[in-house]
Amino acid sequence: MKKSTPKKSYHYLVEQIQQKIMDNELKFGDKLPPEREMSEIYNISRNSVREALRSLEVLGLVECRHGEGNFITNRLDGCVVNALSALFVLNKGSIKDLLQMRRSIELGSLRNIIERNSKKDARTLREIIEAYENGAGVEAYLELDERFHKTIINLSGNTLYGIIFDMLSALILPDMRREVKISVEADANKNLYAEHLALLKAIEDGDLKRADEILTRHLLLDYKNFVESAPPAGADLPFRQSRGQI
């Protein structure tokens, strides 16, 4: 690292490390110079260096390994999810907003999976569906439903889809637990199994139009279960029943 213009704030060092990551000068696993060396390079106190490293650690960009030093890491997921979740709540976001976003990223994931046309992807999803036969109780069905949809997102190959889906899951999960509890008590888990199976069949057939119809129907049912009474028709729905236009 070259010697830089002095700056008294630890923010400067945080900005420099972030910029070096963006410029690909620092990569995952790279070890940062010792505190004393960084203090000399950036002409700031060692206390400021420590404060900057603590901030970078909170951001998920740096990992401190005792006895080894400080390393660039990529533990951003949890930080980003927490920040986005807080912003969503502070801006009074709604369940409708969450389900609209979920439909967008899950449909995008389905498109990627269908275009890739991998038998391995279909096999992975089928293994989860087959586990329904051995599942019992609210927690088991909730875990399988979460795993099925999360796997669709993971198979998309899109990192941002995964981060956003984790945020959506964190915000929706309490209501999801209530919904699945109601479904299991009503023996509706068979319908959940059938919906997932139908979605897998659409994926195997390469039919994005049908996959969208199944996903939309599934999420509209979720929305009706989330609210205390059925939502009004029309604009108040998170989205209209799919007509096959992707």
Side-chain angles (χ1 to χ4, degrees):
M1 295 184 180
K2 294 180 180 179
K3 200 160 188 173
S4 305
T5 304
K7 201 170 186 178
K8 293 182 180 180
S9 173
Y10 75 93
H11 289 287
Y12 177 69
L13 179 52
V14 171
E15 291 169 359
Q16 288 297 300
I17 298 296
Q18 289 177 322
Q19 190 59 52
K20 288 181 182 297
I21 292 171
M22 296 296 293
D23 293 340
N24 218 25
E25 293 179 31
L26 286 172
K27 302 179 183 63
F28 173 69
D30 284 353
K31 183 178 180 179
L32 294 174
E35 291 179 5
R36 185 176 63 181
E37 187 176 334
M38 283 197 285
S39 174
E40 293 173 354
I41 291 171
Y42 295 99
N43 198 18
I44 58 176
S45 70
R46 291 186 66 175
N47 283 338
S48 293
V49 172
R50 293 189 192 103
E51 197 170 352
L53 291 172
R54 282 195 294 269
S55 297
L56 290 165
E57 194 168 14
V58 169
L59 289 171
L61 293 173
V62 167
E63 178 186 12
C64 176
R65 302 176 192 169
H66 294 293
E68 296 182 48
N70 297 289
F71 296 81
I72 299 298
T73 188
N74 59 353
R75 296 178 178 174
L76 283 166
D77 293 15
C79 300
V80 172
V81 168
N82 291 338
L84 289 176
S85 298
L87 283 172
F88 177 82
V89 173
L90 289 171
N91 285 281
K92 299 181 180 179
S94 67
I95 290 293
K96 183 169 68 174
D97 297 331
L98 294 173
L99 290 178
Q100 285 176 339
M101 177 58 75
R102 176 176 166 181
R103 177 177 181 262
S104 296
I105 64 172
E106 200 156 348
L107 182 58
S109 298
L110 289 169
R111 185 190 302 274
N112 289 356
I113 292 170
I114 286 172
E115 288 177 352
R116 188 165 57 242
N117 190 26
S118 166
K119 291 182 179 179
K120 183 179 178 181
D121 291 348
R123 201 160 50 240
T124 299
L125 291 169
R126 184 169 294 280
E127 287 173 1
I128 298 172
I129 292 174
E130 289 173 350
Y132 272 90
E133 298 176 4
N134 301 320
V138 175
E139 293 299 324
Y141 290 119
L142 175 58
E143 192 277 332
L144 287 169
D145 183 60
E146 287 175 2
R147 181 150 46 111
F148 181 78
H149 290 283
K150 176 64 174 174
T151 299
I152 287 175
I153 300 299
N154 290 340
L155 291 175
S156 75
N158 188 310
T159 301
L160 284 176
Y161 282 172
I163 293 173
I164 295 172
F165 188 83
D166 285 346
M167 182 205 73
L168 298 178
S169 297
L171 290 166
I172 289 177
L173 193 56
D175 291 310
M176 283 288 289
R177 291 184 179 277
R178 183 188 68 193
E179 176 203 345
V180 172
K181 184 174 186 293
I182 293 170
S183 296
V184 171
E185 289 173 350
D187 203 27
N189 55 298
K190 292 180 180 178
N191 292 331
L192 195 63
Y193 169 84
E195 284 181 352
H196 287 175
L197 192 61
L199 188 54
L200 173 60
K201 185 66 165 59
I203 291 171
E204 291 176 330
D205 292 343
D207 193 336
L208 184 60
K209 174 183 173 182
R210 183 151 48 92
D212 179 38
E213 291 170 351
I214 295 165
L215 176 65
T216 302
R217 184 172 62 244
H218 179 67
L219 293 180
L220 283 174
L221 179 61
D222 284 351
Y223 181 64
K224 291 175 182 177
N225 286 332
F226 284 150
V227 294
E228 293 181 0
S229 58
D236 285 338
L237 289 171
F239 32 76
R240 296 176 184 273
Q241 183 70 42
S242 172
R243 300 298 182 187
Q245 296 181 348
I246 308 301

